[in-house]
Amino acid sequence: QVQLVESGGGLVQPGTSLTLSCAFSGSHWDDWAIGWFRQAPGKEREDLSCISRRDTYYSGSAKGRFTTTRDRSKQTAYLHMTALKPEDTAIYYCAVDLICYYDDGALREADFKFWGQGTQVTVSS
């Protein structure tokens, strides 16, 4: 069984940076691809990035401002966000799947087998 715990969210001012963590517990850390998603109030959940053992992918909202990494020794993935805007306000989730599979340009969310509980990020002055 895999468990994921996100942390690092909070209230930040526009233009600042924030790094979210996704702590993994379970088996076969190296074999899992880790996806980052977010859901803003009143909106559908959107994908941000996916990092496998070898590759990293970013979706439209994340390109240029967000960076995802993973630390094998800590079994933790990170989403580093810069130049935050009020429209980045959302609950941020990490999830794992065997691969980063994109369907028509979007990460196939339904394939992700295990999800964290989410961490709230609020960008406001």
Side-chain angles (χ1 to χ4, degrees), residues 3-83:
Q3 290 189 325
L4 302 170
V5 178
E6 299 98 335
S7 62
L11 173 63
V12 296
Q13 292 192 339
T16 60
S17 299
L18 191 66
T19 299
L20 306 181
S21 300
C22 173
F24 172 100
S25 61
S27 300
H28 307 295
W29 156 258
D30 286 337
D31 294 337
W32 293 104
I34 300 165
W36 283 96
F37 302 81
R38 70 183 181 186
Q39 188 165 21
K43 295 187 177 181
E44 292 187 354
R45 190 154 54 190
E46 65 170 324
D47 61 284
L48 299 173
S49 68
C50 188
I51 182 167
S52 65
R53 183 183 297 186
R54 295 187 304 175
D55 299 302
T56 307
Y57 307 90
Y58 296 95
S59 301
S61 298
K63 288 181 181 178
R65 294 192 298 126
F66 295 1
T67 303
T68 188
T69 58
R70 59 192 295 170
D71 185 325
R72 184 181 186 186
S73 65
K74 296 181 179 178
Q75 294 195 44
T76 299
Y78 302 94
L79 182 68
H80 180 61
M81 306 181 290
T82 63

